[in-house]
């Protein structure tokens, strides 16, 4: 399997540094080995030229020499090879062994190799089956023969291999030391970039969607002469713009929140007056034209709807402002039973099912607000599903949390609406049937109440199955 390359910048820089040094070491090693080999081969060729073919010429004597015609081995190095060729055929071949000559048996391949050496006096490398690799020269003899003299290549190769081994050890140690030192140096050099990354991650983890946001301070690494300094300066500039935009957004939200609270508070009295006058007019015992009575009934109905809208807006404004809620034990089991009874009375055409634990479940919170949240979920299921829909309310108690689920087998909520279903004035009228009287704030109040209690509100929906889940800390 192919080994993956480092993904971090630090790993890539360190790996690149070590790779470049390895290439440099390889080039130096190859160059020095070739240079040493060439130098030693040149010295070997000089020795062969200096010998002048004397040892090979001495092989022209009888095959069994006596004291007077023994081959001349004086001054010849150990393992010197000599051979005599006449008419392309090797007639004699010997090697100096312990200051004397020793006849050397040759194979047909050895004879062909010796016969193929040009008599130009230059060095040539061959391999003899009984001796190994040799450096040989061939010169013309006095008797129209070819005199070949050779010296072993083993000392040259051994010296070159020893140099290669020493270089391999030294270069290996250098690569390891460079890798460690390079990694430390790169790590130190990239500390400013790490600070930029950490600051960007810190900003990415801030809740920027709503509320007041405390942005971190500027980065100190802003030297324009360095790349990291340029990135740090650009990040500081961008964070400044983001902080200014968030400050303006928060101020706008605060103004809108105060306006909603003030408007809702101020509208409660005139709306109540309109509703009171409409009810009073409807109680008149005298004859009232049908058109007038219908208009009064519409005024009364719309004033009631306006009252609910004002109350919901005022509640959301207070929750947004962080008004403290009551903290007292709340029996969720009893709360759900009461809310289900109310829903069953308001929607008798629906099937209302309960799935409650045997033991009562208690949490700490505001009983009135929790009752309102559960009631809004049931009202939502009743309002936005057709008659005959089955609605199941489930209460589950765990070790650290309590969850309330309201599920129905209605038409479901479109996928594009689900992320915004807890928003204000959000409706999915094109997918779920809707009766009049809804303000579009019911689920927003559910989310605000549960969030104020430190819990979460979620929804999952598909055609034929929709579940709203409220999770509260136990």
């Amino acid at each position: 399997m192919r080994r993956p390359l480092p993904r971090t910048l630090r790993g890539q820089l360190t790996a690149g540094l070590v790779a470049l040094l390895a290439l440099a070491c390889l080039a130096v090693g190859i160059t020095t080995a070739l240079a040493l080999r060439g130098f030693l081969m040149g010295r070997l060729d000089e020795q062969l030229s200096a010998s002048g073919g004397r040892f090979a010429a001495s092989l022209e004597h009888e095959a069994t020499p006596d004291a007077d015609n023994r081959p001349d081995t004086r001054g010849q190095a150990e393992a010197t090879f000599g051979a005599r060729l006449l008419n392309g055929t090797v007639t004699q071949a010997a090697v100096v062994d312990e200051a004397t000559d020793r006849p050397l048996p040759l194979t047909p391949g050895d004879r062909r190799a010796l016969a193929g050496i040009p008599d130009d006096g230059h060095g040539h490398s061959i391999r003899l089956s009984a001796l190994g690799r040799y450096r040989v020269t061939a010169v013309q003899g006095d008797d129209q023969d070819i005199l070949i003299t050779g010296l072993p290549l083993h000392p040259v190769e051994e010296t070159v291999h020893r140099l290669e081994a020493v270089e391999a050890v030294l270069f290996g140690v250098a690569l390891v030391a460079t890798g460690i030192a390079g990694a430390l140096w790169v790590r130190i050099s990239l500390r400013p970039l790490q600070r930029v990354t950490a600051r960007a991650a810190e900003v990415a983890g801030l809740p920027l969607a709503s509320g007041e946001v405390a942005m971190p301070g500027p980065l100190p690494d802003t030297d324009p002469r360095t790349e990291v300094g340029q990135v740090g300066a650009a990040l500081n500039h961008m964070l400044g713009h983001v902080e200014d935009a968030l400050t303006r957004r928060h101020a706008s939200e605060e103004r809108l929140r105060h306006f909603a609270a003030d408007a809702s508070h101020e509208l409660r009295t005139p709306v109540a007056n309109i509703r009171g006058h409409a009810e009073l007019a409807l109680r008149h015992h005298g004859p009232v034209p049908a058109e007038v009575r219908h208009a009064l009934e519409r005024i009364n109905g719309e004033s009631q709807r306006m009252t609910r809208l004002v109350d919901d807006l005022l509640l959301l404004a207070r929750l947004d402002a962080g008004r403290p809620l009551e903290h007292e034990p709340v029996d969720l089991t009893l709360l759900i039973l009461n809310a289900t009874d109310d829903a069953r009375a308001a929607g008798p055409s629906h099937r209302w099912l309960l799935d409650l634990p045997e033991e009562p479940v208690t949490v700490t919170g505001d009983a009135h607000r929790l009752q309102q949240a559960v009631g809004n979920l049931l009202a939502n299921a009743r309002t936005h599903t057709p008659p005959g829909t089955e609605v199941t309310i489930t209460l589950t108690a765990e070790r650290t949390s309590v969850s309330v689920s309201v599920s129905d087998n209605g038409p479901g909520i479109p996928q594009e609406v689900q992320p915004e279903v807890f928003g204000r004035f959000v409706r999915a009228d094109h997918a779920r049937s809707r009766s009049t009287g809804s303000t579009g704030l019911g689920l927003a109040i559910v989310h605000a109440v549960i969030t104020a209690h430190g819990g979460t509100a979620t929804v999952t929906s598909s055609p034929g199955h929709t579940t709203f889940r409220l999770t509260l800390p136990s």
Side-chain angles (χ1 to χ4, degrees), residues 40 55 62 144 238 242 254 286 289 334 442 452:
L40 294 178
F55 178 58
E62 299 175 2
Q144 301 300 318
M238 182 187 69
V242 172
E254 288 295 319
L334 180 60

Side-chain angles (χ1 to χ4, degrees), residues 17-23 25 168-181:
L17 177 63
V18 173
L20 290 176
L21 181 59
L23 291 176
C25 292
V169 173
L170 290 178
F171 291 160
V173 173
L175 288 175
V176 172
T178 302
I180 296 174

Side-chain angles (χ1 to χ4, degrees), residues 66-329:
D66 54 20
D68 297 330
N69 61 10
R70 179 178 295 277
D72 184 10
T73 60
R74 291 176 296 174
Q76 302 298 324
E78 185 78 14
T80 300
F81 168 77
R84 177 173 177 268
L85 281 78
L86 184 63
N87 298 324
T89 303
V90 179
T91 59
Q92 289 92 13
V95 63
V96 176
D97 187 6
E98 297 181 355
T100 184
D101 69 299
R102 174 172 57 86
L104 183 68
L106 298 175
T107 64
D110 294 339
R111 295 178 181 276
R112 287 193 299 271
L114 292 172
I117 299 174
D119 55 345
D120 53 3
H122 297 297
H124 302 277
S125 298
I126 64 171
R127 177 178 290 278
L128 299 174
S129 58
L131 298 177
R133 288 177 56 79
Y134 260 68
R135 188 73 171 177
V136 298
T137 59
V139 296
Q140 286 281 348
D142 295 336
D143 299 328
Q144 301 300 318
D145 54 2
I146 303 297
L147 304 177
I148 298 176
T149 306
L151 290 172
L153 285 174
H154 176 69
V156 173
E157 294 175 345
E158 183 179 6
T159 303
V160 173
H161 291 334
R162 184 175 301 175
L163 173 66
E164 292 172 347
V166 172
E167 287 181 337
V169 173
L170 290 178
F171 291 160
V173 173
L175 288 175
V176 172
T178 302
I180 296 174
L184 294 176
W185 176 255
V186 170
R187 183 173 185 176
I188 294 174
S189 301
L190 292 180
R191 280 181 179 176
L193 185 59
Q194 292 175 350
R195 286 193 287 268
V196 172
T197 304
R199 183 60 51 83
E202 181 182 358
V203 173
L206 293 175
L208 305 178
S210 62
E212 187 174 7
V213 180
M215 297 292 291
L219 285 166
D221 308 295
T222 56
D223 188 354
R225 296 172 296 180
T226 65
E227 290 81 358
V228 176
Q230 295 173 7
V231 173
L235 182 61
N236 285 341
H237 191 64
M238 182 187 69
L239 292 181
H241 284 299
V242 172
E243 183 176 14
D244 182 64
L246 292 176
T247 301
R248 292 174 180 270
R249 187 212 63 193
H250 179 65
S252 177
E253 287 179 351
E254 288 295 319
R255 288 194 298 268
L256 183 60
R257 187 177 296 117
H258 289 307
F259 169 77
D262 294 341
S264 300
H265 182 75
E266 293 297 331
L267 284 173
R268 297 182 75 182
T269 300
V271 170
N273 291 335
I274 294 173
R275 182 179 176 184
H277 286 295
E279 292 178 351
L280 180 61
L282 288 173
R283 292 175 184 171
H284 181 65
H285 298 291
V288 178
E291 295 82 0
V292 176
R293 178 170 292 276
H294 177 72
L296 290 175
E297 289 175 352
R298 292 296 299 142
I299 292 173
N300 185 39
E302 291 301 317
S303 63
Q304 292 178 5
R305 184 172 179 272
M306 190 70 170
T307 300
R308 291 195 299 270
L309 176 61
V310 170
D311 290 341
D312 289 347
L313 285 173
L314 185 58
L315 173 61
L316 287 174
R318 288 174 177 175
L319 291 174
D320 289 343
R323 295 285 184 88
L325 300 175
E326 295 183 6
H327 291 276
E328 57 184 13

